[in-house]
Coordinates of all heavy atoms in Angstrom, one line a residue:
M1 N 0.8 -1.2 0.0 CA 0.0 0.0 0.0 C 0.9 1.3 0.0 O 0.6 2.2 -0.7 CB -0.9 0.0 1.2 CG -1.9 1.1 1.3 SD -3.0 0.9 -0.1 CE -4.5 1.5 0.6
K2 N 1.9 1.3 0.8 CA 2.8 2.4 0.9 C 3.4 2.7 -0.5 O 3.6 3.9 -0.9 CB 3.9 2.1 1.9 CG 4.8 3.3 2.2 CD 5.8 3.0 3.3 CE 6.7 4.2 3.6 NZ 7.7 3.9 4.6
E3 N 3.8 1.6 -1.2 CA 4.4 1.8 -2.5 C 3.4 2.5 -3.5 O 3.8 3.3 -4.3 CB 4.8 0.4 -3.0 CG 5.7 0.5 -4.3 CD 6.2 -0.9 -4.7 OE1 6.7 -1.6 -3.8 OE2 6.2 -1.1 -5.9
V4 N 2.2 2.1 -3.4 CA 1.2 2.7 -4.3 C 1.0 4.2 -4.0 O 1.0 5.0 -4.9 CB -0.2 2.0 -4.1 CG1 -1.3 2.7 -4.9 CG2 -0.1 0.5 -4.6
I5 N 1.0 4.5 -2.7 CA 0.9 6.0 -2.3 C 2.1 6.7 -2.8 O 2.0 7.8 -3.4 CB 0.7 6.1 -0.8 CG1 -0.7 5.5 -0.4 CG2 0.8 7.5 -0.4 CD1 -0.9 5.4 1.1
N6 N 3.3 6.2 -2.6 CA 4.5 6.8 -3.1 C 4.5 7.0 -4.6 O 5.0 8.1 -5.1 CB 5.7 6.0 -2.7 CG 6.0 6.2 -1.2 OD1 5.5 7.1 -0.5 ND2 6.8 5.3 -0.6
K7 N 4.0 6.1 -5.3 CA 3.9 6.2 -6.8 C 3.0 7.4 -7.2 O 3.3 8.1 -8.1 CB 3.4 4.9 -7.4 CG 4.4 3.9 -7.6 CD 5.2 4.1 -8.9 CE 6.2 3.0 -9.2 NZ 7.3 3.4 -10.0
Q8 N 1.9 7.6 -6.5 CA 1.0 8.6 -6.7 C 1.6 10.0 -6.4 O 1.2 11.0 -7.0 CB -0.3 8.4 -6.0 CG -1.1 7.3 -6.4 CD -2.4 7.0 -5.6 OE1 -2.5 7.5 -4.5 NE2 -3.3 6.3 -6.2
L9 N 2.5 10.1 -5.5 CA 3.1 11.3 -5.2 C 4.3 11.7 -6.1 O 4.8 12.8 -6.0 CB 3.6 11.3 -3.7 CG 2.6 11.1 -2.6 CD1 3.2 10.9 -1.3 CD2 1.6 12.2 -2.6
E10 N 4.7 10.8 -7.0 CA 5.8 11.1 -7.9 C 5.4 12.2 -8.8 O 4.3 12.3 -9.3 CB 6.2 9.8 -8.7 CG 6.9 8.8 -7.8 CD 7.4 7.6 -8.7 OE1 7.3 7.6 -9.9 OE2 7.9 6.7 -8.1
V11 N 6.5 13.0 -9.2 CA 6.3 14.1 -10.1 C 7.3 13.9 -11.3 O 8.3 13.2 -11.1 CB 6.5 15.5 -9.5 CG1 5.4 15.8 -8.5 CG2 7.9 15.6 -8.9
A12 N 7.0 14.4 -12.4 CA 7.9 14.3 -13.6 C 9.1 15.3 -13.3 O 8.9 16.4 -12.7 CB 7.2 14.7 -14.8
Q13 N 10.2 15.0 -13.9 CA 11.4 15.9 -13.7 C 11.1 17.1 -14.5 O 10.8 17.1 -15.7 CB 12.7 15.2 -14.2 CG 13.9 16.1 -14.0 CD 15.2 15.3 -14.3 OE1 15.2 14.2 -14.7 NE2 16.3 16.0 -14.1
P14 N 11.2 18.3 -13.8 CA 11.1 19.6 -14.5 C 12.1 19.7 -15.7 O 13.2 19.4 -15.5 CB 11.3 20.6 -13.4 CG 11.1 19.9 -12.2 CD 11.5 18.5 -12.4
V15 N 11.6 20.3 -16.7 CA 12.5 20.6 -17.9 C 13.0 22.1 -17.8 O 12.2 23.0 -17.7 CB 11.8 20.4 -19.2 CG1 12.7 20.7 -20.4 CG2 11.3 19.0 -19.3
L16 N 14.3 22.3 -17.7 CA 14.9 23.6 -17.5 C 15.2 24.2 -18.9 O 15.5 23.6 -19.9 CB 16.2 23.5 -16.7 CG 16.1 22.9 -15.4 CD1 17.4 22.8 -14.7 CD2 15.1 23.6 -14.5
T17 N 15.0 25.6 -18.9 CA 15.4 26.3 -20.1 C 16.9 26.5 -20.2 O 17.6 26.3 -19.1 CB 14.8 27.7 -20.1 OG1 15.3 28.5 -19.0 CG2 13.2 27.7 -20.0
E18 N 17.4 26.9 -21.3 CA 18.9 27.1 -21.4 C 19.3 28.2 -20.4 O 20.4 28.1 -19.8 CB 19.2 27.6 -22.9 CG 20.6 27.6 -23.2 CD 21.3 26.2 -23.3 OE1 20.6 25.3 -23.7 OE2 22.5 26.1 -22.9
E19 N 18.5 29.2 -20.2 CA 18.8 30.3 -19.3 C 18.9 29.8 -17.9 O 19.8 30.2 -17.1 CB 17.8 31.4 -19.4 CG 18.1 32.6 -18.6 CD 17.1 33.7 -18.8 OE1 16.7 34.0 -20.0 OE2 16.7 34.3 -17.8
Q20 N 18.0 28.9 -17.5 CA 18.0 28.4 -16.1 C 19.2 27.5 -15.9 O 19.8 27.6 -14.8 CB 16.7 27.5 -15.9 CG 15.5 28.3 -15.7 CD 14.2 27.5 -15.7 OE1 14.0 26.6 -16.6 NE2 13.3 27.7 -14.8
M21 N 19.6 26.7 -16.9 CA 20.8 25.9 -16.8 C 22.1 26.7 -16.7 O 22.9 26.4 -15.9 CB 20.9 24.9 -18.0 CG 19.8 23.8 -18.0 SD 20.0 22.6 -19.2 CE 19.4 23.4 -20.7
E22 N 22.1 27.8 -17.4 CA 23.3 28.7 -17.3 C 23.3 29.4 -15.9 O 24.4 29.5 -15.4 CB 23.2 29.8 -18.4 CG 23.5 29.3 -19.8 CD 23.3 30.4 -20.8 OE1 23.3 31.6 -20.5 OE2 23.3 30.0 -22.0
Q23 N 22.2 29.7 -15.4 CA 22.2 30.4 -14.1 C 22.6 29.4 -13.0 O 23.4 29.7 -12.1 CB 20.8 30.9 -13.7 CG 20.7 31.6 -12.4 CD 21.6 32.8 -12.3 OE1 21.6 33.6 -13.2 NE2 22.3 32.9 -11.2
I24 N 22.2 28.1 -13.1 CA 22.6 27.1 -12.2 C 24.1 26.9 -12.3 O 24.8 26.8 -11.2 CB 21.9 25.7 -12.5 CG1 20.4 25.8 -12.0 CG2 22.6 24.5 -11.8 CD1 19.6 24.7 -12.4
N25 N 24.7 26.8 -13.5 CA 26.1 26.6 -13.6 C 26.9 27.8 -13.0 O 27.9 27.6 -12.3 CB 26.5 26.5 -15.1 CG 26.2 25.1 -15.6 OD1 26.3 24.1 -14.9 ND2 26.0 25.0 -16.9
F26 N 26.4 29.0 -13.3 CA 27.0 30.2 -12.7 C 27.0 30.2 -11.2 O 28.0 30.5 -10.6 CB 26.3 31.5 -13.3 CG 26.9 32.8 -12.7 CD1 28.0 33.3 -13.2 CD2 26.2 33.4 -11.7 CE1 28.5 34.5 -12.7 CE2 26.7 34.6 -11.2 CZ 27.9 35.2 -11.7
T27 N 25.9 29.8 -10.6 CA 25.8 29.8 -9.2 C 26.7 28.7 -8.6 O 27.3 28.9 -7.5 CB 24.3 29.6 -8.7 OG1 23.5 30.6 -9.4 CG2 24.1 29.6 -7.2
L28 N 26.7 27.5 -9.2 CA 27.6 26.5 -8.8 C 29.0 26.9 -8.7 O 29.7 26.7 -7.7 CB 27.5 25.2 -9.7 CG 26.3 24.3 -9.5 CD1 26.3 23.3 -10.6 CD2 26.2 23.7 -8.1
I29 N 29.5 27.5 -9.8 CA 30.9 28.0 -9.9 C 31.2 29.0 -8.8 O 32.2 29.0 -8.1 CB 31.2 28.5 -11.3 CG1 31.1 27.4 -12.3 CG2 32.6 29.1 -11.3 CD1 31.9 26.1 -12.1
E30 N 30.3 30.0 -8.7 CA 30.5 31.0 -7.6 C 30.5 30.4 -6.2 O 31.3 30.7 -5.4 CB 29.3 32.0 -7.7 CG 29.6 33.2 -6.7 CD 28.5 34.3 -6.8 OE1 27.7 34.3 -7.8 OE2 28.4 35.1 -5.9
A31 N 29.6 29.4 -6.0 CA 29.5 28.8 -4.7 C 30.8 28.0 -4.4 O 31.3 28.0 -3.3 CB 28.3 27.9 -4.6
L32 N 31.4 27.4 -5.5 CA 32.6 26.6 -5.3 C 33.8 27.5 -5.0 O 34.5 27.2 -4.1 CB 32.9 25.9 -6.6 CG 34.2 25.1 -6.7 CD1 34.2 23.9 -5.8 CD2 34.4 24.6 -8.2
H33 N 33.9 28.7 -5.7 CA 35.0 29.6 -5.5 C 34.9 30.4 -4.2 O 35.9 30.8 -3.6 CB 35.2 30.4 -6.7 CG 35.7 29.7 -7.9 ND1 36.9 29.1 -7.9 CD2 35.1 29.4 -9.0 CE1 37.1 28.4 -9.1 NE2 36.0 28.6 -9.8
T34 N 33.7 30.7 -3.7 CA 33.5 31.5 -2.6 C 33.3 30.7 -1.3 O 33.2 31.3 -0.2 CB 32.4 32.5 -2.7 OG1 31.2 31.8 -2.9 CG2 32.7 33.5 -3.9
N35 N 33.0 29.4 -1.5 CA 32.7 28.5 -0.4 C 31.4 29.0 0.4 O 31.3 28.8 1.6 CB 33.9 28.3 0.6 CG 33.7 27.0 1.4 OD1 33.2 26.0 0.9 ND2 34.1 27.1 2.6
K36 N 30.5 29.6 -0.4 CA 29.2 30.0 0.2 C 28.3 28.8 0.3 O 28.2 28.0 -0.6 CB 28.6 31.1 -0.6 CG 29.2 32.4 -0.4 CD 28.4 33.5 -1.2 CE 29.1 34.8 -1.2 NZ 28.4 35.8 -2.1
Q37 N 27.5 28.8 1.3 CA 26.5 27.7 1.4 C 25.3 27.9 0.5 O 24.9 29.1 0.2 CB 25.9 27.7 2.9 CG 25.1 26.4 3.2 CD 24.9 26.4 4.7 OE1 24.4 27.4 5.3 NE2 25.1 25.2 5.3
V38 N 24.8 26.9 -0.1 CA 23.7 27.0 -1.1 C 22.5 26.1 -0.7 O 22.7 25.1 0.1 CB 24.1 26.6 -2.5 CG1 25.1 27.6 -3.1 CG2 24.7 25.2 -2.5
Y39 N 21.3 26.4 -1.2 CA 20.2 25.5 -1.2 C 20.2 24.9 -2.6 O 20.2 25.5 -3.6 CB 18.9 26.3 -1.0 CG 18.7 26.8 0.4 CD1 18.9 28.1 0.8 CD2 18.2 25.9 1.4 CE1 18.8 28.5 2.1 CE2 18.0 26.3 2.7 CZ 18.3 27.6 3.0 OH 18.1 28.1 4.3
L40 N 20.2 23.5 -2.6 CA 20.3 22.8 -3.8 C 19.0 21.9 -3.9 O 18.7 21.2 -3.1 CB 21.5 21.8 -3.6 CG 22.0 21.0 -4.8 CD1 22.7 21.9 -5.7 CD2 22.9 19.9 -4.3
T41 N 18.3 22.1 -5.1 CA 17.1 21.3 -5.3 C 17.4 20.4 -6.5 O 17.9 20.9 -7.6 CB 15.9 22.2 -5.7 OG1 15.7 23.2 -4.6 CG2 14.7 21.4 -5.8
Y42 N 17.2 19.1 -6.3 CA 17.5 18.2 -7.4 C 16.3 17.1 -7.5 O 15.5 17.0 -6.6 CB 18.8 17.4 -7.1 CG 18.9 16.7 -5.8 CD1 18.6 15.4 -5.7 CD2 19.3 17.4 -4.6 CE1 18.6 14.7 -4.5 CE2 19.4 16.7 -3.4 CZ 19.0 15.4 -3.3 OH 19.1 14.7 -2.1
Y43 N 16.3 16.4 -8.6 CA 15.3 15.4 -8.9 C 15.8 14.0 -8.7 O 16.9 13.7 -9.2 CB 14.8 15.6 -10.3 CG 13.7 14.6 -10.7 CD1 12.4 14.9 -10.4 CD2 14.0 13.5 -11.4 CE1 11.4 14.1 -10.7 CE2 13.0 12.6 -11.7 CZ 11.7 12.9 -11.4 OH 10.7 12.0 -11.7
K44 N 15.1 13.2 -7.9 CA 15.6 11.9 -7.6 C 14.4 11.0 -7.4 O 13.6 11.3 -6.5 CB 16.5 11.8 -6.4 CG 17.3 10.5 -6.3 CD 18.4 10.6 -5.3 CE 19.3 9.4 -5.4 NZ 20.5 9.5 -4.8
K45 N 14.2 9.9 -8.1 CA 13.2 8.9 -7.9 C 11.8 9.5 -7.8 O 11.0 9.2 -6.9 CB 13.5 8.0 -6.7 CG 14.8 7.2 -6.9 CD 15.0 6.4 -5.7 CE 16.3 5.6 -5.9 NZ 16.7 4.8 -4.7
G46 N 11.5 10.4 -8.7 CA 10.1 11.0 -8.7 C 9.9 12.1 -7.8 O 8.7 12.5 -7.6
Q47 N 10.9 12.6 -7.1 CA 10.7 13.7 -6.1 C 11.7 14.8 -6.3 O 12.8 14.6 -6.8 CB 10.9 13.1 -4.7 CG 9.9 12.1 -4.2 CD 10.2 11.7 -2.8 OE1 11.3 11.6 -2.3 NE2 9.1 11.4 -2.1
C48 N 11.3 16.0 -5.9 CA 12.2 17.2 -5.9 C 12.6 17.3 -4.5 O 11.8 17.5 -3.6 CB 11.4 18.4 -6.4 SG 10.9 18.2 -8.1
I49 N 13.9 17.3 -4.2 CA 14.5 17.3 -2.9 C 15.4 18.5 -2.8 O 16.2 18.9 -3.7 CB 15.3 16.0 -2.6 CG1 14.4 14.8 -2.8 CG2 16.0 16.1 -1.3 CD1 15.2 13.5 -2.9
T50 N 15.2 19.3 -1.6 CA 16.1 20.4 -1.4 C 16.9 20.2 -0.1 O 16.4 19.7 0.9 CB 15.2 21.7 -1.2 OG1 14.4 21.9 -2.3 CG2 16.1 22.9 -0.9
E51 N 18.2 20.4 -0.3 CA 19.2 20.3 0.8 C 20.0 21.5 0.9 O 20.2 22.3 -0.1 CB 20.1 19.1 0.6 CG 19.4 17.8 0.7 CD 20.3 16.6 0.6 OE1 21.3 16.6 1.4 OE2 20.1 15.7 -0.2
K52 N 20.7 21.7 2.0 CA 21.5 22.9 2.2 C 23.0 22.3 2.5 O 23.1 21.3 3.1 CB 21.1 23.6 3.5 CG 21.7 25.0 3.7 CD 21.0 25.9 4.6 CE 20.7 25.4 6.0 NZ 20.4 26.4 6.9
G53 N 23.9 23.0 1.8 CA 25.3 22.6 2.0 C 26.3 23.3 1.2 O 26.0 24.5 0.8
F54 N 27.4 22.7 0.8 CA 28.5 23.4 0.1 C 28.9 22.6 -1.1 O 28.9 21.3 -1.1 CB 29.7 23.5 1.0 CG 29.5 24.3 2.2 CD1 29.0 23.8 3.4 CD2 29.7 25.7 2.2 CE1 28.8 24.6 4.5 CE2 29.4 26.5 3.3 CZ 29.0 25.9 4.4
I55 N 29.2 23.3 -2.2 CA 29.7 22.7 -3.4 C 31.2 22.5 -3.3 O 31.9 23.4 -2.9 CB 29.4 23.6 -4.6 CG1 27.9 23.9 -4.8 CG2 29.9 22.9 -5.9 CD1 27.0 22.7 -4.9
Q56 N 31.7 21.2 -3.5 CA 33.1 21.0 -3.4 C 33.8 20.8 -4.7 O 35.0 21.1 -4.9 CB 33.3 19.7 -2.6 CG 34.8 19.5 -2.3 CD 35.0 18.2 -1.4 OE1 34.4 17.2 -1.7 NE2 35.9 18.3 -0.4
F57 N 33.1 20.4 -5.7 CA 33.7 20.1 -7.0 C 32.7 20.1 -8.1 O 31.5 19.7 -7.9 CB 34.3 18.6 -7.0 CG 34.9 18.2 -8.3 CD1 36.1 18.6 -8.7 CD2 34.2 17.3 -9.1 CE1 36.7 18.1 -9.9 CE2 34.7 16.8 -10.3 CZ 36.0 17.2 -10.7
V58 N 33.0 20.7 -9.3 CA 32.1 20.8 -10.4 C 32.9 20.3 -11.7 O 34.0 20.8 -12.0 CB 31.6 22.2 -10.6 CG1 30.7 22.3 -11.9 CG2 30.8 22.7 -9.4
D59 N 32.3 19.4 -12.4 CA 32.9 19.0 -13.7 C 31.7 19.0 -14.7 O 31.0 18.1 -14.9 CB 33.4 17.5 -13.6 CG 33.9 17.0 -14.9 OD1 34.0 17.7 -15.9 OD2 34.3 15.8 -14.9
S60 N 31.7 20.2 -15.4 CA 30.6 20.4 -16.4 C 30.7 19.4 -17.6 O 29.6 18.9 -18.0 CB 30.7 21.8 -17.0 OG 30.5 22.7 -15.9
L61 N 31.9 19.1 -18.0 CA 32.0 18.2 -19.1 C 31.6 16.8 -18.8 O 31.0 16.0 -19.6 CB 33.4 18.2 -19.7 CG 33.9 19.5 -20.3 CD1 35.4 19.4 -20.7 CD2 33.1 19.9 -21.5
G62 N 31.9 16.4 -17.5 CA 31.5 15.0 -17.1 C 30.1 14.9 -16.4 O 29.7 13.9 -15.9
N63 N 29.4 16.1 -16.5 CA 28.0 16.1 -15.9 C 28.0 15.7 -14.5 O 27.2 14.9 -14.1 CB 27.1 15.2 -16.8 CG 25.6 15.4 -16.4 OD1 25.2 16.4 -16.0 ND2 24.9 14.3 -16.4
L64 N 29.0 16.2 -13.7 CA 29.1 15.7 -12.3 C 29.4 16.9 -11.4 O 30.1 17.8 -11.8 CB 30.2 14.7 -12.3 CG 30.7 14.2 -10.9 CD1 29.6 13.1 -10.4 CD2 32.0 13.5 -11.0
F65 N 28.9 16.8 -10.1 CA 29.4 17.7 -9.1 C 29.4 17.0 -7.8 O 28.7 16.0 -7.6 CB 28.6 19.0 -9.1 CG 27.2 18.9 -8.6 CD1 26.9 19.2 -7.3 CD2 26.2 18.4 -9.4 CE1 25.6 19.0 -6.8 CE2 24.9 18.2 -8.9 CZ 24.6 18.6 -7.6
V66 N 30.1 17.5 -6.8 CA 30.1 17.0 -5.5 C 29.6 18.0 -4.5 O 30.0 19.2 -4.5 CB 31.6 16.6 -5.1 CG1 31.6 16.1 -3.6 CG2 32.1 15.5 -6.0
F67 N 28.6 17.6 -3.7 CA 27.9 18.4 -2.7 C 28.1 17.9 -1.3 O 27.9 16.7 -1.1 CB 26.4 18.4 -3.1 CG 25.5 19.1 -2.2 CD1 25.5 20.5 -2.2 CD2 24.7 18.4 -1.4 CE1 24.7 21.2 -1.3 CE2 23.8 19.1 -0.5 CZ 23.8 20.5 -0.5
I68 N 28.5 18.7 -0.4 CA 28.6 18.3 1.0 C 27.4 18.8 1.8 O 27.2 20.0 1.9 CB 29.9 18.8 1.6 CG1 31.1 18.2 0.9 CG2 30.0 18.3 3.1 CD1 32.4 18.7 1.3
D69 N 26.5 17.9 2.2 CA 25.3 18.3 2.9 C 25.6 18.9 4.3 O 26.6 18.5 4.9 CB 24.3 17.2 3.0 CG 24.6 16.1 3.9 OD1 24.4 16.2 5.1 OD2 25.1 15.1 3.4
E70 N 24.8 19.8 4.7 CA 25.0 20.5 6.0 C 24.8 19.5 7.2 O 25.4 19.6 8.2 CB 24.0 21.7 6.1 CG 24.2 22.4 7.4 CD 23.1 23.5 7.6 OE1 21.9 23.1 7.5 OE2 23.5 24.6 7.9
V71 N 23.8 18.6 7.1 CA 23.4 17.8 8.3 C 24.4 16.8 8.6 O 24.9 16.7 9.8 CB 22.0 17.2 8.0 CG1 21.6 16.3 9.2 CG2 21.0 18.2 7.7
F72 N 24.8 15.9 7.7 CA 25.7 14.8 8.0 C 27.1 15.1 7.5 O 28.0 14.3 7.7 CB 25.2 13.5 7.4 CG 23.8 13.1 7.9 CD1 22.7 13.2 7.1 CD2 23.7 12.7 9.2 CE1 21.5 12.9 7.5 CE2 22.4 12.4 9.7 CZ 21.3 12.4 8.9
E73 N 27.3 16.2 6.8 CA 28.6 16.5 6.2 C 29.2 15.4 5.3 O 30.4 15.1 5.3 CB 29.6 16.9 7.3 CG 29.2 18.2 8.0 CD 30.2 18.6 9.0 OE1 31.3 18.0 9.2 OE2 30.0 19.7 9.6
L74 N 28.3 14.7 4.6 CA 28.6 13.7 3.7 C 28.8 14.2 2.3 O 28.2 15.1 1.8 CB 27.5 12.6 3.6 CG 27.3 11.8 4.9 CD1 26.1 10.9 4.8 CD2 28.5 11.0 5.3
K75 N 29.8 13.6 1.5 CA 30.0 14.0 0.1 C 29.0 13.2 -0.7 O 28.9 12.0 -0.6 CB 31.4 13.6 -0.3 CG 32.5 14.4 0.3 CD 33.9 14.1 -0.3 CE 35.0 14.9 0.3 NZ 36.3 14.6 -0.3
N76 N 28.3 13.9 -1.5 CA 27.3 13.4 -2.4 C 27.7 13.7 -3.9 O 27.7 14.8 -4.3 CB 25.9 14.0 -2.2 CG 25.5 13.7 -0.8 OD1 25.2 12.6 -0.4 ND2 25.4 14.8 0.1
K77 N 28.0 12.6 -4.6 CA 28.3 12.8 -6.1 C 27.0 12.8 -6.8 O 26.2 11.9 -6.6 CB 29.2 11.7 -6.6 CG 30.6 11.8 -6.2 CD 31.4 10.8 -6.9 CE 32.9 10.8 -6.5 NZ 33.7 9.8 -7.1
M78 N 26.7 13.8 -7.6 CA 25.5 13.9 -8.3 C 25.7 14.3 -9.7 O 26.7 14.9 -10.1 CB 24.6 15.0 -7.6 CG 24.3 14.7 -6.1 SD 23.5 16.0 -5.3 CE 21.8 15.4 -5.5
K79 N 24.7 14.1 -10.6 CA 24.7 14.5 -12.0 C 24.2 15.9 -12.1 O 23.2 16.2 -11.4 CB 23.9 13.6 -12.8 CG 24.5 12.2 -12.9 CD 23.6 11.3 -13.8 CE 24.2 9.9 -13.9 NZ 23.3 9.0 -14.7
L80 N 24.8 16.7 -12.9 CA 24.3 18.1 -13.1 C 22.9 18.1 -13.7 O 22.1 18.9 -13.4 CB 25.3 18.8 -14.0 CG 26.6 19.3 -13.4 CD1 27.6 19.7 -14.5 CD2 26.4 20.3 -12.4
S81 N 22.6 17.0 -14.5 CA 21.3 16.9 -15.1 C 20.2 16.7 -14.1 O 19.0 16.8 -14.5 CB 21.4 15.8 -16.2 OG 21.7 14.6 -15.6
E82 N 20.5 16.3 -12.9 CA 19.5 16.1 -11.9 C 19.1 17.4 -11.1 O 18.1 17.5 -10.4 CB 20.0 15.1 -10.8 CG 20.2 13.7 -11.3 CD 20.8 12.7 -10.3 OE1 21.5 13.2 -9.4 OE2 20.6 11.5 -10.5
L83 N 20.0 18.4 -11.3 CA 19.7 19.7 -10.7 C 18.5 20.4 -11.2 O 18.3 20.5 -12.4 CB 20.9 20.6 -10.8 CG 22.0 20.4 -9.8 CD1 23.2 21.3 -10.1 CD2 21.6 20.6 -8.4
I84 N 17.7 21.0 -10.3 CA 16.6 21.8 -10.7 C 16.8 23.3 -10.4 O 16.5 24.2 -11.1 CB 15.3 21.3 -10.0 CG1 15.0 19.9 -10.4 CG2 14.1 22.3 -10.3 CD1 14.0 19.3 -9.5
D85 N 17.5 23.5 -9.2 CA 17.8 24.9 -8.8 C 18.9 24.9 -7.8 O 19.1 24.0 -7.0 CB 16.5 25.5 -8.2 CG 16.5 27.0 -8.0 OD1 17.3 27.6 -8.7 OD2 15.8 27.5 -7.1
V86 N 19.7 26.0 -7.8 CA 20.7 26.3 -6.8 C 20.6 27.7 -6.5 O 20.6 28.6 -7.3 CB 22.1 26.0 -7.4 CG1 23.2 26.3 -6.4 CG2 22.2 24.6 -7.9
R87 N 20.5 28.0 -5.1 CA 20.4 29.4 -4.7 C 21.2 29.6 -3.4 O 21.4 28.7 -2.6 CB 18.9 29.7 -4.3 CG 18.0 29.6 -5.4 CD 16.6 30.0 -5.0 NE 15.6 29.7 -6.0 CZ 15.3 30.6 -6.9 NH1 15.8 31.8 -6.9 NH2 14.4 30.4 -7.9
F88 N 21.7 30.8 -3.3 CA 22.4 31.2 -2.0 C 21.4 31.5 -1.0 O 20.2 31.8 -1.3 CB 23.3 32.4 -2.3 CG 24.4 32.2 -3.2 CD1 24.5 32.7 -4.4 CD2 25.5 31.3 -2.7 CE1 25.6 32.4 -5.3 CE2 26.6 31.1 -3.6 CZ 26.6 31.6 -4.8
Q89 N 21.8 31.3 0.3 CA 20.9 31.6 1.4 C 20.4 33.0 1.4 O 21.1 33.9 1.1 CB 21.5 31.4 2.8 CG 21.8 30.0 3.0 CD 22.3 29.8 4.4 OE1 23.0 28.8 4.7 NE2 22.0 30.6 5.4

């Protein structure tokens, strides 16, 4: 039953415009160089998830970045294509 409810709550991954993707890349690079904390929203398994933390590494060509979450201070390797939004506090 829980699985059925979770399936109903799933959303489609938002499609970003070229301008939105450029803004995300700009913010990621700025956050990396200034070590400012960001709110990161990404798409995973039918859900949009927002976390707070720091960007440690960005590889635009490899479609990869590393994010250290604020709560557990764990390194999370993620695909740039999963990103929906990146904002400073």
Side-chain angles (χ1 to χ4, degrees):
M1 186 66 146
K2 185 178 180 181
E3 191 174 315
V4 172
I5 293 171
N6 286 341
K7 277 280 187 204
Q8 290 177 342
L9 296 175
E10 284 184 8
V11 295
Q13 183 171 3
V15 178
L16 302 178
T17 65
E18 190 70 33
E19 187 177 314
Q20 288 170 311
M21 289 187 284
E22 286 177 15
Q23 183 59 47
I24 285 172
N25 281 332
F26 179 77
T27 305
L28 281 175
I29 298 301
E30 185 178 345
L32 176 67
H33 290 294
T34 61
N35 201 35
K36 287 184 184 175
Q37 195 170 46
V38 293
Y39 285 101
L40 188 77
T41 304
Y42 59 94
Y43 181 83
K44 191 167 193 167
K45 297 181 182 176
Q47 294 183 324
C48 296
I49 301 165
T50 301
E51 293 187 48
K52 189 164 55 165
F54 298 90
I55 304 300
Q56 186 180 44
F57 176 79
V58 177
D59 178 5
S60 297
L61 295 176
N63 187 35
L64 174 76
F65 71 100
V66 177
F67 174 74
I68 300 175
D69 70 82
E70 180 189 51
V71 179
F72 300 110
E73 296 183 359
L74 295 174
K75 286 185 183 181
N76 300 290
K77 284 187 182 179
M78 303 172 93
K79 293 180 180 179
L80 288 169
S81 58
E82 295 174 335
L83 277 178
I84 299 168
D85 193 24
V86 180
R87 295 181 188 271
F88 292 111
Q89 291 189 203

